[in-house]
Amino acid sequence: QIKRETNFLYSKELRNLKAGMYFFAYYKRKRDENGNDIGGYVGFGQIIEDPVPIDNCLINGKKIYDLPLNQPNIKANHDNIATEWVAKVKWIKYVSKENGYFYHGIFDGSRHTVCKIDKTKHKKTVDFLMEKFEL
């Protein structure tokens, strides 16, 4: 029961996204197997469809979890409140996680699935990302 409630809380944030919104994607910083720091902001894109439960997400007529994915357990809770939610996006600019944009003190929002960057409070981060993604 706890897992179901926890997953529901994460998906609740994702469900705040709406078609037409622009976003920056952040890959949580960590060390890889070679001891290199990887992660940071890795993409800029636009939401092209409102988020839906995975059972309702079709890609070329196939359910998303019937495609080869990096997340093998995405279907685990497809039939209950803990189901994963997905939003289709159009990537405008992106880099690999090894080349993610980062500096110490950057706003990372890593405690959230989705969060809003305050343009005033986090102006340095916004300016940095606009420059790095050439926007």
Side-chain angles (χ1 to χ4, degrees):
Q1 188 67 18
I2 292 172
K3 180 179 179 192
R4 290 175 183 222
E5 291 171 6
T6 301
N7 286 351
F8 181 73
L9 292 175
Y10 287 120
S11 71
K12 185 177 180 182
E13 289 183 353
L14 187 70
R15 287 179 280 146
N16 288 325
L17 298 173
K18 300 293 176 211
M21 288 180 157
Y22 290 92
F23 69 96
F24 289 103
Y26 186 82
Y27 183 91
K28 188 174 180 178
R29 297 277 292 176
K30 64 180 181 179
R31 294 248 163 128
D32 68 10
E33 60 277 355
N34 298 318
N36 299 312
D37 289 328
I38 62 170
Y41 283 91
V42 295
F44 177 73
Q46 184 178 29
I47 306 298
I48 57 173
E49 289 184 17
D50 288 352
V52 295
I54 61 166
D55 269 347
N56 299 343
C57 182
L58 300 177
I59 307 291
N60 297 325
K62 293 184 178 183
K63 290 196 177 195
I64 191 169
Y65 52 71
D66 290 333
L67 300 172
L69 302 171
N70 290 336
Q71 176 44 274
N73 296 324
I74 195 168
K75 188 178 177 181
N77 290 300
H78 74 98
D79 60 351
N80 63 57
I81 196 171
T83 189
E84 298 287 348
W85 281 63
V86 294
K88 291 183 182 176
V89 304
K90 174 179 140 189
W91 291 105
I92 298 168
K93 303 241 177 163
Y94 57 90
V95 296
S96 68
K97 63 187 174 191
E98 291 80 14
N99 294 312
Y101 300 127
F102 178 82
Y103 66 83
H104 289 286
I106 199 167
F107 175 77
D108 67 13
S110 62
R111 292 184 304 266
H112 300 280
T113 305
V114 174
C115 62
K116 185 175 182 176
I117 299 177
D118 184 303
K119 292 181 208 175
T120 303
K121 187 176 179 183
H122 303 291
K123 184 178 182 338
K124 184 176 177 184
T125 296
V126 172
D127 290 346
F128 175 79
L129 295 173
M130 297 296 280
E131 178 185 328
K132 291 296 185 182
F133 285 104
E134 301 174 341
L135 303 172

mmCIF file of all heavy atoms in Angstrom, residues 14-41:
data_model
loop_
_atom_site.group_PDB
_atom_site.id
_atom_site.type_symbol
_atom_site.label_atom_id
_atom_site.label_comp_id
_atom_site.label_asym_id
_atom_site.label_seq_id
_atom_site.Cartn_x
_atom_site.Cartn_y
_atom_site.Cartn_z
ATOM 1 N N LEU A 14 3.673 15.086 -12.156
ATOM 2 C CA LEU A 14 3.749 14.955 -13.612
ATOM 3 C C LEU A 14 2.446 15.389 -14.269
ATOM 4 O O LEU A 14 2.439 16.008 -15.329
ATOM 5 C CB LEU A 14 4.085 13.510 -14.000
ATOM 6 C CG LEU A 14 4.347 13.262 -15.467
ATOM 7 C CD1 LEU A 14 5.662 13.890 -15.893
ATOM 8 C CD2 LEU A 14 4.365 11.782 -15.764
ATOM 9 N N ARG A 15 1.333 15.090 -13.608
ATOM 10 C CA ARG A 15 0.029 15.428 -14.179
ATOM 11 C C ARG A 15 -0.242 16.932 -14.206
ATOM 12 O O ARG A 15 -1.213 17.371 -14.813
ATOM 13 C CB ARG A 15 -1.080 14.678 -13.433
ATOM 14 C CG ARG A 15 -1.051 13.190 -13.802
ATOM 15 C CD ARG A 15 -2.110 12.399 -13.085
ATOM 16 N NE ARG A 15 -1.614 12.134 -11.728
ATOM 17 C CZ ARG A 15 -2.390 12.079 -10.665
ATOM 18 N NH1 ARG A 15 -3.684 12.274 -10.754
ATOM 19 N NH2 ARG A 15 -1.880 11.824 -9.488
ATOM 20 N N ASN A 16 0.634 17.735 -13.599
ATOM 21 C CA ASN A 16 0.495 19.196 -13.672
ATOM 22 C C ASN A 16 0.968 19.746 -15.020
ATOM 23 O O ASN A 16 0.708 20.901 -15.341
ATOM 24 C CB ASN A 16 1.277 19.874 -12.542
ATOM 25 C CG ASN A 16 0.609 19.681 -11.202
ATOM 26 O OD1 ASN A 16 -0.613 19.645 -11.112
ATOM 27 N ND2 ASN A 16 1.410 19.550 -10.166
ATOM 28 N N LEU A 17 1.680 18.939 -15.785
ATOM 29 C CA LEU A 17 2.134 19.382 -17.103
ATOM 30 C C LEU A 17 0.949 19.464 -18.059
ATOM 31 O O LEU A 17 0.014 18.672 -17.965
ATOM 32 C CB LEU A 17 3.178 18.414 -17.666
ATOM 33 C CG LEU A 17 4.463 18.277 -16.867
ATOM 34 C CD1 LEU A 17 5.331 17.172 -17.453
ATOM 35 C CD2 LEU A 17 5.213 19.597 -16.836
ATOM 36 N N LYS A 18 1.024 20.399 -18.989
ATOM 37 C CA LYS A 18 -0.038 20.568 -19.985
ATOM 38 C C LYS A 18 0.581 20.733 -21.363
ATOM 39 O O LYS A 18 1.675 21.286 -21.507
ATOM 40 C CB LYS A 18 -0.900 21.797 -19.670
ATOM 41 C CG LYS A 18 -1.597 21.738 -18.316
ATOM 42 C CD LYS A 18 -2.640 20.641 -18.286
ATOM 43 C CE LYS A 18 -3.277 20.508 -16.914
ATOM 44 N NZ LYS A 18 -3.681 19.184 -16.596
ATOM 45 N N ALA A 19 -0.145 20.285 -22.379
ATOM 46 C CA ALA A 19 0.318 20.436 -23.760
ATOM 47 C C ALA A 19 0.644 21.903 -24.025
ATOM 48 O O ALA A 19 -0.100 22.793 -23.606
ATOM 49 C CB ALA A 19 -0.742 19.935 -24.728
ATOM 50 N N GLY A 20 1.758 22.136 -24.689
ATOM 51 C CA GLY A 20 2.184 23.493 -25.021
ATOM 52 C C GLY A 20 3.250 24.045 -24.089
ATOM 53 O O GLY A 20 3.967 24.972 -24.445
ATOM 54 N N MET A 21 3.377 23.482 -22.880
ATOM 55 C CA MET A 21 4.378 23.961 -21.927
ATOM 56 C C MET A 21 5.787 23.631 -22.415
ATOM 57 O O MET A 21 6.021 22.584 -23.013
ATOM 58 C CB MET A 21 4.196 23.306 -20.560
ATOM 59 C CG MET A 21 3.022 23.766 -19.778
ATOM 60 S SD MET A 21 2.998 22.846 -18.189
ATOM 61 C CE MET A 21 2.048 23.980 -17.210
ATOM 62 N N TYR A 22 6.717 24.538 -22.116
ATOM 63 C CA TYR A 22 8.138 24.298 -22.362
ATOM 64 C C TYR A 22 8.779 23.889 -21.045
ATOM 65 O O TYR A 22 8.310 24.269 -19.968
ATOM 66 C CB TYR A 22 8.816 25.551 -22.909
ATOM 67 C CG TYR A 22 8.384 25.876 -24.318
ATOM 68 C CD1 TYR A 22 7.313 26.734 -24.549
ATOM 69 C CD2 TYR A 22 9.032 25.304 -25.404
ATOM 70 C CE1 TYR A 22 6.905 27.028 -25.841
ATOM 71 C CE2 TYR A 22 8.624 25.592 -26.700
ATOM 72 C CZ TYR A 22 7.565 26.452 -26.912
ATOM 73 O OH TYR A 22 7.163 26.732 -28.196
ATOM 74 N N PHE A 23 9.870 23.122 -21.131
ATOM 75 C CA PHE A 23 10.512 22.644 -19.903
ATOM 76 C C PHE A 23 11.995 22.376 -20.136
ATOM 77 O O PHE A 23 12.444 22.197 -21.268
ATOM 78 C CB PHE A 23 9.825 21.362 -19.419
ATOM 79 C CG PHE A 23 10.072 20.190 -20.338
ATOM 80 C CD1 PHE A 23 11.086 19.290 -20.081
ATOM 81 C CD2 PHE A 23 9.290 20.005 -21.464
ATOM 82 C CE1 PHE A 23 11.319 18.224 -20.942
ATOM 83 C CE2 PHE A 23 9.509 18.946 -22.328
ATOM 84 C CZ PHE A 23 10.538 18.055 -22.064
ATOM 85 N N PHE A 24 12.732 22.363 -19.033
ATOM 86 C CA PHE A 24 14.113 21.898 -19.015
ATOM 87 C C PHE A 24 14.121 20.561 -18.284
ATOM 88 O O PHE A 24 13.454 20.406 -17.267
ATOM 89 C CB PHE A 24 15.028 22.870 -18.264
ATOM 90 C CG PHE A 24 15.263 24.167 -18.982
ATOM 91 C CD1 PHE A 24 14.607 25.314 -18.581
ATOM 92 C CD2 PHE A 24 16.144 24.236 -20.052
ATOM 93 C CE1 PHE A 24 14.818 26.513 -19.231
ATOM 94 C CE2 PHE A 24 16.365 25.434 -20.712
ATOM 95 C CZ PHE A 24 15.696 26.574 -20.308
ATOM 96 N N ALA A 25 14.878 19.596 -18.794
ATOM 97 C CA ALA A 25 14.981 18.280 -18.170
ATOM 98 C C ALA A 25 16.288 18.191 -17.400
ATOM 99 O O ALA A 25 17.349 18.545 -17.922
ATOM 100 C CB ALA A 25 14.914 17.181 -19.226
ATOM 101 N N TYR A 26 16.192 17.716 -16.170
ATOM 102 C CA TYR A 26 17.360 17.579 -15.302
ATOM 103 C C TYR A 26 17.605 16.113 -14.986
ATOM 104 O O TYR A 26 16.689 15.393 -14.572
ATOM 105 C CB TYR A 26 17.135 18.350 -13.994
ATOM 106 C CG TYR A 26 18.353 18.381 -13.095
ATOM 107 C CD1 TYR A 26 19.364 19.295 -13.303
ATOM 108 C CD2 TYR A 26 18.480 17.479 -12.046
ATOM 109 C CE1 TYR A 26 20.482 19.326 -12.497
ATOM 110 C CE2 TYR A 26 19.594 17.499 -11.227
ATOM 111 C CZ TYR A 26 20.593 18.415 -11.456
ATOM 112 O OH TYR A 26 21.709 18.438 -10.655
ATOM 113 N N TYR A 27 18.831 15.668 -15.192
ATOM 114 C CA TYR A 27 19.253 14.310 -14.842
ATOM 115 C C TYR A 27 20.072 14.431 -13.565
ATOM 116 O O TYR A 27 21.098 15.112 -13.555
ATOM 117 C CB TYR A 27 20.089 13.707 -15.981
ATOM 118 C CG TYR A 27 20.508 12.275 -15.754
ATOM 119 C CD1 TYR A 27 19.713 11.229 -16.210
ATOM 120 C CD2 TYR A 27 21.690 11.970 -15.095
ATOM 121 C CE1 TYR A 27 20.092 9.911 -16.022
ATOM 122 C CE2 TYR A 27 22.076 10.649 -14.901
ATOM 123 C CZ TYR A 27 21.266 9.634 -15.358
ATOM 124 O OH TYR A 27 21.643 8.329 -15.158
ATOM 125 N N LYS A 28 19.616 13.813 -12.499
ATOM 126 C CA LYS A 28 20.258 13.965 -11.195
ATOM 127 C C LYS A 28 21.752 13.623 -11.259
ATOM 128 O O LYS A 28 22.141 12.581 -11.784
ATOM 129 C CB LYS A 28 19.560 13.084 -10.154
ATOM 130 C CG LYS A 28 20.055 13.342 -8.759
ATOM 131 C CD LYS A 28 19.240 12.575 -7.745
ATOM 132 C CE LYS A 28 19.771 12.872 -6.358
ATOM 133 N NZ LYS A 28 18.994 12.193 -5.339
ATOM 134 N N ARG A 29 22.555 14.519 -10.713
ATOM 135 C CA ARG A 29 24.015 14.342 -10.719
ATOM 136 C C ARG A 29 24.427 13.119 -9.904
ATOM 137 O O ARG A 29 23.891 12.860 -8.840
ATOM 138 C CB ARG A 29 24.702 15.578 -10.120
ATOM 139 C CG ARG A 29 24.491 16.854 -10.894
ATOM 140 C CD ARG A 29 25.413 17.035 -12.035
ATOM 141 N NE ARG A 29 26.783 17.241 -11.569
ATOM 142 C CZ ARG A 29 27.827 17.355 -12.363
ATOM 143 N NH1 ARG A 29 27.679 17.282 -13.661
ATOM 144 N NH2 ARG A 29 29.026 17.538 -11.875
ATOM 145 N N LYS A 30 25.396 12.384 -10.434
ATOM 146 C CA LYS A 30 25.959 11.238 -9.735
ATOM 147 C C LYS A 30 27.314 10.907 -10.339
ATOM 148 O O LYS A 30 27.725 11.511 -11.330
ATOM 149 C CB LYS A 30 25.020 10.046 -9.809
ATOM 150 C CG LYS A 30 24.799 9.504 -11.212
ATOM 151 C CD LYS A 30 23.851 8.326 -11.185
ATOM 152 C CE LYS A 30 23.644 7.759 -12.566
ATOM 153 N NZ LYS A 30 22.746 6.595 -12.548
ATOM 154 N N ARG A 31 27.985 9.962 -9.746
ATOM 155 C CA ARG A 31 29.264 9.478 -10.271
ATOM 156 C C ARG A 31 29.018 8.220 -11.084
ATOM 157 O O ARG A 31 28.274 7.339 -10.665
ATOM 158 C CB ARG A 31 30.218 9.151 -9.132
ATOM 159 C CG ARG A 31 30.644 10.364 -8.346
ATOM 160 C CD ARG A 31 32.092 10.653 -8.566
ATOM 161 N NE ARG A 31 32.350 12.016 -8.134
ATOM 162 C CZ ARG A 31 33.288 12.349 -7.296
ATOM 163 N NH1 ARG A 31 34.070 11.420 -6.793
ATOM 164 N NH2 ARG A 31 33.472 13.609 -6.980
ATOM 165 N N ASP A 32 29.658 8.137 -12.255
ATOM 166 C CA ASP A 32 29.522 6.916 -13.054
ATOM 167 C C ASP A 32 30.525 5.868 -12.572
ATOM 168 O O ASP A 32 31.269 6.091 -11.605
ATOM 169 C CB ASP A 32 29.656 7.218 -14.548
ATOM 170 C CG ASP A 32 31.058 7.653 -14.973
ATOM 171 O OD1 ASP A 32 32.023 7.558 -14.167
ATOM 172 O OD2 ASP A 32 31.205 8.093 -16.129
ATOM 173 N N GLU A 33 30.554 4.731 -13.236
ATOM 174 C CA GLU A 33 31.427 3.630 -12.820
ATOM 175 C C GLU A 33 32.908 3.971 -12.913
ATOM 176 O O GLU A 33 33.739 3.325 -12.300
ATOM 177 C CB GLU A 33 31.112 2.358 -13.631
ATOM 178 C CG GLU A 33 31.292 2.478 -15.129
ATOM 179 C CD GLU A 33 30.102 3.103 -15.856
ATOM 180 O OE1 GLU A 33 29.066 3.384 -15.225
ATOM 181 O OE2 GLU A 33 30.226 3.334 -17.063
ATOM 182 N N ASN A 34 33.256 5.020 -13.668
ATOM 183 C CA ASN A 34 34.651 5.446 -13.788
ATOM 184 C C ASN A 34 35.005 6.592 -12.842
ATOM 185 O O ASN A 34 36.105 7.133 -12.905
ATOM 186 C CB ASN A 34 34.949 5.875 -15.233
ATOM 187 C CG ASN A 34 34.764 4.738 -16.207
ATOM 188 O OD1 ASN A 34 35.160 3.602 -15.931
ATOM 189 N ND2 ASN A 34 34.132 5.012 -17.333
ATOM 190 N N GLY A 35 34.050 6.984 -12.001
ATOM 191 C CA GLY A 35 34.304 8.058 -11.051
ATOM 192 C C GLY A 35 34.087 9.456 -11.610
ATOM 193 O O GLY A 35 34.408 10.439 -10.957
ATOM 194 N N ASN A 36 33.510 9.543 -12.807
ATOM 195 C CA ASN A 36 33.240 10.851 -13.414
ATOM 196 C C ASN A 36 31.872 11.364 -12.980
ATOM 197 O O ASN A 36 30.916 10.591 -12.901
ATOM 198 C CB ASN A 36 33.258 10.747 -14.953
ATOM 199 C CG ASN A 36 34.592 10.287 -15.478
ATOM 200 O OD1 ASN A 36 35.631 10.793 -15.094
ATOM 201 N ND2 ASN A 36 34.565 9.299 -16.350
ATOM 202 N N ASP A 37 31.784 12.664 -12.706
ATOM 203 C CA ASP A 37 30.493 13.266 -12.401
ATOM 204 C C ASP A 37 29.698 13.407 -13.691
ATOM 205 O O ASP A 37 30.207 13.922 -14.688
ATOM 206 C CB ASP A 37 30.673 14.655 -11.778
ATOM 207 C CG ASP A 37 31.214 14.576 -10.367
ATOM 208 O OD1 ASP A 37 30.899 13.601 -9.659
ATOM 209 O OD2 ASP A 37 31.960 15.483 -9.967
ATOM 210 N N ILE A 38 28.464 12.930 -13.671
ATOM 211 C CA ILE A 38 27.592 13.053 -14.832
ATOM 212 C C ILE A 38 26.254 13.638 -14.387
ATOM 213 O O ILE A 38 25.911 13.589 -13.219
ATOM 214 C CB ILE A 38 27.370 11.703 -15.559
ATOM 215 C CG1 ILE A 38 26.688 10.683 -14.635
ATOM 216 C CG2 ILE A 38 28.681 11.159 -16.098
ATOM 217 C CD1 ILE A 38 26.226 9.426 -15.337
ATOM 218 N N GLY A 39 25.522 14.165 -15.321
ATOM 219 C CA GLY A 39 24.200 14.701 -15.039
ATOM 220 C C GLY A 39 24.167 16.202 -15.139
ATOM 221 O O GLY A 39 25.124 16.843 -15.572
ATOM 222 N N GLY A 40 23.051 16.757 -14.749
ATOM 223 C CA GLY A 40 22.792 18.189 -14.889
ATOM 224 C C GLY A 40 21.616 18.359 -15.843
ATOM 225 O O GLY A 40 20.862 17.423 -16.113
ATOM 226 N N TYR A 41 21.468 19.557 -16.352
ATOM 227 C CA TYR A 41 20.382 19.805 -17.308
ATOM 228 C C TYR A 41 20.766 19.203 -18.646
ATOM 229 O O TYR A 41 21.838 19.467 -19.182
ATOM 230 C CB TYR A 41 20.100 21.299 -17.422
ATOM 231 C CG TYR A 41 19.306 21.804 -16.242
ATOM 232 C CD1 TYR A 41 19.940 22.298 -15.106
ATOM 233 C CD2 TYR A 41 17.910 21.737 -16.239
ATOM 234 C CE1 TYR A 41 19.209 22.733 -14.013
ATOM 235 C CE2 TYR A 41 17.179 22.159 -15.150
ATOM 236 C CZ TYR A 41 17.832 22.660 -14.039
ATOM 237 O OH TYR A 41 17.100 23.068 -12.956
#
